[in-house]
Amino acid sequence: MLSAACVEVDPRKRLDVSMAMVFFSGELQRFTGEEKTSVVALNYRELLGELHNKYPDLKNSEITEMAIAIDGEIVHEPLLELIPEAAELHFFHFIAGG
Amino acid sequence: MSEAKKFNFIGQRTIRPDGHDKVTGKANYAADLALPGMIWGKILRSPHAHAKILKLDTSKAEAMLGVMSVATFDDLPSVSNEAIQSGEGAIDSLDLGRNVLARDKVLYHGHAIAAIAAKTEAIAEKALELIDVEYEVLTPVLDLHEAMKADAPLLHEDMFTQGYPEQPEKPSNIAARHELKMGDVEAGFAEADVIVERDFVTPTVHQGYIEPHACTVSYNTEGQSMVWCSTQGHFDVRASTAKLLAMPLGNLKVIASEIGGGFGGKTTVYLEPIALILSRKSGRPVKMMMDRDEVFRASGPASAARLTVKVGGKKDGTITAMQTSIAYEAGAFKGSPAMIGGMTAFTPYNCANVYCETFDVVVNKPKVAAYRAPGAPQAEFGAEMAVSELAEKLGIDPVDLRLQNAAKEGTQTVYGPKLKAVGLVECLEAAKNSPHYKTELKEGEGRGIASGFWFNIGGQSSVTINMNPDGTGTIVEGSPDIGGSRASMQMMAAEELGIPLNDLKPIIGDTESIPYNQSTGGSRTTFATGMAVIEAAQDVVQQLKERAASLWNVTPDQVEWRDGSAINTAGEGQMTCAEICAKCEKTGGQISGTGNVNARGAGPSFAVHVCDTKVDMETGKVDVIRYTAIQDAGKAIHPSYVEGQFQGGAAQGIGWALNEEYVYNDDGVMENAGFLDYRIPLASDLPMIDTIIVEVPNNFHPYGVRGVGESGIIPPLAAVGYAVGDAIGANVSELPCSPPRVLKLIQEKG
């Protein structure tokens, strides 16, 4: 008998998986030409890959150096982040402080 | 976080563990260390604000008796364009190297050119006079307007403005342009019944920390070199210094001394790489200290700024659009917090239509450094002045207008995410209900209200708690204690462990004795390092339960931890922390807890300040006669230190608003590089600053903490500025409101 894990379908192929919505800052809109887009991605690396595929000019932006807000929670080092279903995602510049 | 949680220590006003040493002079600051064989380093600084270095000859100085070594830019073995983190964010390491020691150009008066180490300070100073430098003097660029002109003299011939769709064809002093937008501002302004549009100017100001930069170093060619310095982040000192000197991180140990103020200004390096070069070349330990003049001329101040702000509102009080164009001085190298200004300017407002354009501009002044909420005070000054004027023109109480449009949970910010739970509404309501706000103004007095927003950050912190056989413990943290954080760490550990406060000693570990910690900055320490303390203490509690369980021959889950003791729930028995620790050798050895966090979920902190002023109409002198600072702390771990942060931020902001400014002559020489002429507020200049702590918990922290160190400096600029304008019946558009400037406004008004 197959285990549950073995029969689980890749979420990207499931019709019931909600897509994350990526909102672009004014700076990034120069490279995307639009304010937002929907993306199916399981994690941050997939997200970046999807965005770069969709908007090749993003390679000229600083998006890989940016922090990301996932449903309002700011993540400065997002490399290993998972993307929840139907998440709202915002890229912006790293914030430090004094 | 459980709202019903009862605390034993959190929220108490305990005695700070480092207080006795500081008030009795026993605490060791960076300049206090002396090592055997130590020599003294001094720096030759540029007499010009902008010049090419045609010749740099140190041979006569090197030949002088008593001179042990000389350093110039050529001694920095490895400088590339890689980014290094500092208080303002990342800084280009080539720029950092060229700021530490000028390469081919000097870019501000006081720019370091070369350094000498000698057996005495006097010899080192004399030897500086023997260094032969030839300059080609260039026209300095000292003003944002001038710097941004297409034909302005260029600081960097290879700098092209970033942020336009196409790279410009010609180099520029504008390093970067950014744009933030939300909704449709033109449509928003079309909806407005009243529009306010004004230009604002804020000056270059310094953090004004009392202790100048200082370090003592010892280079070891065979092993580990040491740096002892005054810093907000010794791990970042290690990273920057090692990068510039091409050293493996493990070969450099940095010890953070006690620190006499930083406020963001001690998040980068000036002396440490130079001192290590001098030590390496001389084979001796080297001490270097800036004097106050050098601190002003050559360490990083906060950006001067120019901004245009436009806000529109309907008669019913709805703010329909907010727009600003912001230019910030970066100093000699790119990297001002202009974009942060754009991100923060209008965040206190729930406005659908927002547009911000920001410019990062280089000028012939010292490279700016972080200063409490870097970038926010300047932009929010303009925004808050404009909102107060809008309220006046709409005939609406300024607190009511802010309440009607206040940002709250779910409000969309222009920089991206929607806000989580925040306490701006609660702060505004507290302001409105305060005795201060209910006090009627007398003839000749004026009142200003302003809000302030700062993000706050989390980040990496590591803590170890080592328990001793007598049940006492040492909390080893890596966040230099600027504002009393050791007390907060002690309280949080005691809260988890349930043992007396004084049984726990908090210390700041060096870069070898504790894992990596980000700097003390961004209002992150009580939040993030506090989370690491809680995690480490919980780790200790778990180990104490396991040891007790082994002694009782039960399982750990049959042991409860209550008020500092283990309780055997499977039978009879109770053991105190001290009793368990006394047996640790027989039950497995040392009990040590660790906490390593990369904390996220930092809760923004909003502040609201109310200021009343009285102006001498004959001299223009402003007296602040009442002042109240209200701020959301999430949960105040130590209320006295929270109030101290509110008051400290307010005092610095009042100084920024009233008197502080760098005054340059036409040659780019600062003319007031000392505390007699650069006037920070004295105790006699200030009224008692009343405080109100608002507590809207941050649900991402176990106790609900939000950072409180930065938001408090933001509102004073507009609260004071508007109060001055209200008192004299004129619009204030430029800071500081120093007597000559206020008198001019009075005279212009007639």
Side-chain angles (χ1 to χ4, degrees):
Chain A
M1 188 178 140
L2 289 171
S3 69
C6 290
V7 296
E8 192 169 319
V9 178
D10 182 340
R12 284 164 295 187
K13 296 175 182 168
R14 283 169 49 188
L15 296 176
D16 59 336
V17 173
S18 302
M19 293 189 284
M21 186 63 73
V22 182
F23 295 84
F24 298 113
S25 63
E27 182 185 352
L28 290 178
Q29 285 172 36
R30 294 195 292 111
F31 303 99
T32 64
E34 48 193 354
E35 290 183 15
K36 60 185 179 181
T37 189
S38 53
V39 171
V40 174
L42 299 179
N43 55 48
Y44 173 80
R45 281 180 281 198
E46 284 190 10
L47 170 69
L48 273 190
E50 293 289 321
L51 292 176
H52 278 116
N53 284 338
K54 195 166 185 178
Y55 308 106
D57 288 350
L58 272 178
K59 68 177 185 299
N60 299 318
S61 75
E62 296 177 335
I63 192 168
T64 56
E65 306 301 318
M66 288 175 150
I68 187 169
I70 303 173
D71 288 331
E73 190 177 341
I74 296 170
V75 183
H76 278 128
E77 301 293 347
L79 182 66
L80 304 179
E81 286 303 307
L82 300 177
I83 307 296
E85 285 185 38
E88 280 191 15
L89 309 172
H90 298 265
F91 289 90
F92 56 91
H93 282 274
F94 188 92
I95 301 157
Chain B
M1 197 201 74
S2 168
E3 289 185 20
K5 189 164 186 172
K6 300 290 182 207
F7 295 111
N8 292 316
F9 299 104
I10 303 305
Q12 303 294 312
R13 297 174 187 265
T14 63
I15 303 295
R16 64 191 295 166
D18 53 317
H20 180 269
D21 280 359
K22 284 183 174 165
V23 298
T24 57
K26 291 179 181 170
N28 285 311
Y29 291 85
D32 291 333
L33 182 68
L35 296 172
M38 188 180 79
I39 57 176
W40 299 83
K42 293 286 177 185
I43 291 179
L44 178 71
R45 299 188 178 278
S46 170
H48 305 293
H50 194 191
K52 287 181 183 171
I53 299 172
L54 303 178
K55 175 186 166 190
L56 176 57
D57 182 354
T58 60
S59 57
K60 288 180 187 167
E62 288 178 66
M64 183 175 168
L65 190 64
V67 169
M68 306 295 287
S69 57
V70 176
T72 67
F73 180 87
D74 291 340
D75 292 302
L76 294 173
S78 170
V79 280
S80 63
N81 290 107
E82 286 178 53
I84 301 176
Q85 284 303 320
S86 73
E88 296 265 343
I91 182 170
D92 183 302
S93 59
L94 177 58
D95 287 350
L96 181 63
R98 292 176 63 193
N99 195 40
V100 166
L101 282 167
R103 187 174 62 177
D104 47 0
K105 247 183 149 185
V106 287
L107 294 163
Y108 52 93
H109 180 261
H111 197 164
I113 298 168
I116 299 274
K119 288 183 177 177
T120 67
E121 287 184 90
I123 294 172
E125 283 173 0
K126 193 73 185 166
L128 293 179
E129 297 171 11
L130 300 180
I131 297 176
D132 185 12
V133 191
E134 283 183 18
Y135 301 94
E136 178 188 337
V137 179
L138 304 171
T139 304
V141 186
L142 301 167
D143 174 75
L144 281 163
H145 271 324
E146 293 301 317
M148 294 173 78
K149 287 179 179 172
D151 59 349
L154 294 171
L155 274 74
H156 306 282
E157 302 282 349
D158 58 349
M159 194 168 80
F160 293 82
T161 308
Q162 302 294 307
Y164 286 110
E166 303 293 332
Q167 177 167 305
E169 290 180 359
K170 292 173 63 179
S172 168
N173 291 320
I174 303 172
R177 171 191 175 272
H178 288 99
E179 164 178 270
L180 298 158
K181 56 187 176 184
M182 183 167 73
D184 182 342
V185 282
E186 293 309 317
F189 284 122
E191 274 187 76
D193 296 311
V194 174
I195 291 174
V196 172
E197 183 171 10
R198 290 205 180 277
D199 295 331
F200 296 97
V201 178
T202 68
T204 306
V205 296
H206 198 270
Q207 300 85 353
Y209 35 81
I210 301 304
E211 180 204 23
H213 296 268
C215 69
T216 303
V217 311
S218 179
Y219 191 91
N220 186 341
T221 53
E222 301 303 318
Q224 196 167 55
S225 301
M226 191 201 82
V227 173
W228 173 292
C229 63
S230 176
T231 177
Q232 293 175 235
H234 42 321
F235 287 89
D236 289 349
V237 169
R238 183 181 67 165
S240 299
T241 305
K243 178 71 188 167
L244 293 181
L245 301 185
M247 295 172 70
L249 289 174
N251 282 8
L252 189 56
K253 172 179 174 177
V254 182
I255 302 164
S257 66
E258 293 293 348
I259 179 169
F263 313 110
K266 290 180 181 168
T267 53
T268 187
V269 294
Y270 300 103
L271 301 176
E272 293 84 355
I274 301 173
L276 269 177
I277 294 167
L278 293 170
S279 178
R280 175 171 54 82
K281 293 175 81 170
S282 65
R284 298 281 201 96
V286 172
K287 178 183 279 196
M288 297 187 79
M289 298 182 293
M290 286 192 190
D291 59 23
R292 183 61 55 188
D293 186 272
E294 289 178 293
V295 170
F296 273 114
R297 295 189 197 283
S299 70
S303 296
R306 288 183 177 271
L307 52 155
T308 300
V309 178
K310 185 177 176 183
V311 296
K314 294 203 278 193
K315 287 177 185 167
D316 67 1
T318 306
I319 296 178
T320 57
M322 310 183 96
Q323 178 176 318
T324 187
S325 178
I326 299 172
Y328 279 22
E329 290 182 2
F333 299 96
K334 65 183 182 290
S336 77
M339 190 168 52
I340 299 292
M343 293 164 78
T344 54
F346 302 125
T347 299
Y349 299 95
N350 182 14
C351 178
N353 306 303
V354 178
Y355 178 83
C356 306
E357 182 182 37
T358 68
F359 297 94
D360 177 26
V361 185
V362 294
V363 293
N364 290 115
K365 294 181 184 177
K367 167 75 175 78
V368 298
Y371 182 16
R372 263 186 148 146
Q378 301 94 321
E380 294 192 58
F381 162 64
E384 292 298 308
M385 292 292 283
V387 167
S388 287
E389 188 176 342
L390 181 69
E392 192 174 327
K393 288 187 169 168
L394 289 170
I396 299 174
D397 178 276
V399 175
D400 286 340
L401 183 76
R402 286 176 167 86
L403 271 169
Q404 185 178 341
N405 296 279
K408 50 180 78 72
E409 185 169 6
T411 293
Q412 178 65 54
T413 65
V414 73
Y415 62 87
K418 292 185 174 115
L419 292 173
K420 299 285 191 184
V422 290
L424 176 59
V425 168
E426 289 78 358
C427 288
L428 287 163
E429 286 172 343
K432 192 169 183 184
N433 294 322
S434 68
H436 180 163
Y437 202 64
K438 291 176 179 173
T439 303
E440 294 280 330
L441 291 175
K442 294 178 186 164
E443 179 78 22
E445 295 177 357
R447 176 166 292 166
I449 315 292
S451 302
F453 159 79
W454 184 248
F455 314 87
N456 294 333
I457 62 169
Q460 295 183 72
S461 285
S462 298
V463 167
T464 301
I465 299 178
N466 298 321
M467 299 305 293
N468 301 315
D470 62 357
T472 63
T474 303
I475 305 164
V476 188
E477 52 159 322
S479 299
D481 180 0
I482 303 180
S485 59
R486 272 177 287 212
S488 299
M489 301 309 148
Q490 186 187 47
M491 293 165 80
M492 286 187 266
E495 190 69 47
E496 294 296 325
L497 288 163
I499 63 176
L501 277 178
N502 291 335
D503 283 0
L504 290 162
K505 182 174 180 54
I507 65 166
I508 315 300
D510 59 55
T511 52
E512 285 192 336
S513 57
I514 191 76
Y516 177 77
N517 279 260
Q518 282 176 230
S519 295
T520 298
S523 300
R524 62 174 294 278
T525 300
T526 308
F527 173 72
T529 307
M531 287 171 82
V533 165
I534 292 167
E535 193 174 293
Q538 290 172 343
D539 187 13
V540 170
V541 167
Q542 180 59 30
Q543 291 175 49
L544 290 166
K545 287 165 67 176
E546 289 168 0
R547 302 299 177 93
S550 66
L551 289 166
W552 284 321
N553 200 26
V554 299
T555 60
D557 59 6
Q558 291 175 309
V559 178
E560 278 186 14
W561 190 258
R562 204 181 303 154
D563 298 327
S565 294
I567 312 294
N568 182 358
T569 63
E572 291 185 2
Q574 178 171 341
M575 270 191 284
T576 65
C577 177
E579 288 170 335
I580 300 168
C581 287
K583 294 184 173 67
C584 70
E585 190 178 354
K586 301 179 192 305
T587 58
Q590 173 67 40
I591 296 171
S592 293
T594 58
N596 292 306
V597 303
N598 192 352
R600 59 170 65 178
S605 180
F606 281 94
V608 175
H609 289 197
V610 186
C611 172
D612 292 351
T613 61
K614 186 172 178 57
V615 179
D616 184 324
M617 300 297 276
E618 291 187 357
T619 64
K621 179 178 182 291
V622 176
D623 286 321
V624 176
I625 54 175
R626 282 176 221 97
Y627 202 98
T628 304
I630 304 135
Q631 190 173 325
D632 178 15
K635 176 65 188 173
I637 299 296
H638 193 304
S640 296
Y641 296 148
V642 169
E643 290 161 354
Q645 290 288 346
F646 293 4
Q647 291 168 323
Q652 288 186 306
I654 290 169
W656 199 333
L658 282 186
N659 283 302
E660 294 182 36
E661 63 178 323
Y662 279 34
V663 178
Y664 283 93
N665 67 18
D666 291 343
D667 294 327
V669 179
M670 186 183 178
E671 294 189 318
N672 60 335
F675 278 144
L676 280 177
D677 299 312
Y678 180 93
R679 200 165 182 289
I680 63 173
L682 308 177
S684 55
D685 293 324
L686 299 171
M688 179 63 195
I689 295 170
D690 292 324
T691 57
I692 300 173
I693 300 174
V694 168
E695 292 185 320
V696 175
N698 170 19
N699 292 325
F700 291 92
H701 186 277
Y703 302 157
V705 166
R706 298 175 191 275
V708 295
E710 293 174 283
S711 302
I713 199 172
I714 301 165
L717 280 66
V720 174
Y722 207 81
V724 171
D726 191 36
I728 64 173
N731 288 311
V732 167
S733 60
E734 186 170 356
L735 297 181
C737 295
S738 54
R741 195 167 280 124
V742 173
L743 191 60
K744 186 164 177 253
L745 284 174
I746 294 168
Q747 289 166 346
E748 284 172 353
K749 184 178 72 90

